Amino acid sequence: MARKTPVRGQMAVLHPMRIRADALPLADRMFNLWTLTALMLAFAAVLIAPAFAQDAAPEKPGVISILLEWTPTLAKGFGFNVLISILSMAIGTAMGVVLGVLQVSPLRPVRSIAWLVTQFFRNSPWLVLLFYCILLIPFQIEVFGTTIPFPGWIKAVLGLSLPVMAYMSEYMRGAILSIPTGQWESAESLGFSRRQIMTDVILPQTVKRVLPSWMNLYAVLTMATPLVSIIGVNDVMALTRAALSAEGRVDLLIPMYLYILSWFFIYCYPISAVTRLLERKYSVKL
Amino acid sequence: MTWTPDQPIVSLRDVHKSFGTVEVLRGITLDVMKGEVICIIGPSGSGKSTLIRCINALNDIQSGSITVEGLEVNDPKLDKLSLRKKVGMVFQQYNLFPHKTVLQNVMMAPIKVLRQNRAEVEARARKLIAKVRLEGKEDAYPGELSGGQQQRVAIARSLAMNPDVMLFDEVTAALDPETVKEVLTTIKDLAADGMTCILVTHEMGFAREIADCVYFTDRGVIVESGPPATFFDNAQDPRTQQFLSQIL
């Protein structure tokens, strides 16, 4: 550290305060060898420990072989969770962007209603919203003689998209208001209409600002998808319960739920890691 | 009312403007003829910026009248677009669109607002970029340019709408002394081409050189005005004299 060596006659210099600690590169943070290894060892230990216990009763198959046996079924369920999360996110984002734009409408009634809708859904428990959607939406809708069925999982998608919409609406409102007013003024003086300013100037600039929060929201949503098992959708959670009751073994409970937890972790952790990376990248420059 | 070129292109009559209880403009009257260059100077907070923002209807006024080519700016029924086609404005903070390249910044308004042919607009945009001496920067993003370069892009972007009047709101105030010159040269070129320019500026040397008429505002009124030679060397009002003695 050359800087620390005192030099004769050197004056004390007040270095500018470091506002933020230097961030580690993404790879170091995400795939830190030690944390990951420790995590994997912990998982392995929990999974294997009961398996050793089973040796006392050799006629029963081991825990690991049972997990592997159920893996294709559970994977289908997990795929369903992912599908539900993606659809809810898409619908919720689309509605949320519109609602967020309405929240900054120059028309007071529009602004107030958009605000009310946002606050209502943002402050409702997700599970209650899910139940509400299940009860509110009919099993099927008849349009011009054709029957359009509404299976439970579609209702679940709609139910989960409501809180996504509300959060997205708030993110959008914040991002729109964070764009300097000079952007509005210069676009206005070039003759753009309000709608054009919004779509051509303001909204494209909000993408960067909203992206980290949006991805974080997606991770949270994915972790909330097992809620749909409560309303009778055959997601990974429902299938896990079914598998457990089919096996009828108490010693399977903890390993199997841990197994599912690790799936969610492996799916969601990279998303939150990339989110942190984006947050750092975009927080530097305005 | 139809406007003819022998009438003032911009005309303000007894304009009053308040923000809440603060009266910013207290009876401004001034006329600008086509092709004229006028500079508005004065201490900060004297209403200079508000004055030119009112001309562009970015701020509304409480009483009085502002006309641009016969269009009553403060008329609630006014089609703002017809006004904005005539008046271009350049801001202190450039306000370029950061997500668009230089070329896209210049092309955007003519295509989206005037719905002009893309190829024609592009040819014109490239000429304008060359005119503000930024050839080769067409595909750069504003963030990659210096302040002076950004400000020249902002000027080109405004010119792309073919305005009849250009408003400059302290366009060099955020620039360092070296880059001020390149922006001023661009404005000088414009003025030489016959563009009607209204400038709010702190560059006295520039005002003296370029202006046909200099207006000094203080506390919301025009204290004194005149051609630069008489204004700068022979100011009558004590407030003008005091202001000039402080900055010259």
Side-chain angles (χ1 to χ4, degrees), chain A residues 180-193 196 200-202 204-205, chain B residues 53 56 58 81 84 87 89 91 95-99 108-109 112-113 115 157 161:
Chain A
T181 50
Q183 292 288 316
W184 288 91
E185 288 177 349
S186 67
E188 211 183 321
S189 71
L190 285 167
F192 285 92
S193 67
Q196 283 174 322
D200 295 334
V201 178
I202 305 297
Q205 291 186 56
Chain B
R53 287 164 61 89
N56 199 13
L58 279 181
L81 182 56
R84 262 105 196 217
V87 184
M89 183 154 181
F91 299 83
N95 297 343
L96 293 177
F97 305 133
H99 59 298
M108 213 169 144
K112 301 262 181 188
V113 177
R115 309 212 172 275
R157 181 176 67 171
M161 293 291 282

Side-chain angles (χ1 to χ4, degrees), chain A residues 148-193:
Chain A
I148 303 168
F150 266 106
W153 71 273
I154 287 189
K155 294 186 196 178
V157 164
L158 292 175
L160 286 177
S161 68
L162 290 174
V164 171
M165 168 192 78
Y167 279 95
M168 199 58 199
S169 167
E170 277 298 85
Y171 297 155
M172 287 309 293
R173 187 183 68 96
I176 291 168
L177 294 180
S178 78
I179 306 286
T181 50
Q183 292 288 316
W184 288 91
E185 288 177 349
S186 67
E188 211 183 321
S189 71
L190 285 167
F192 285 92
S193 67

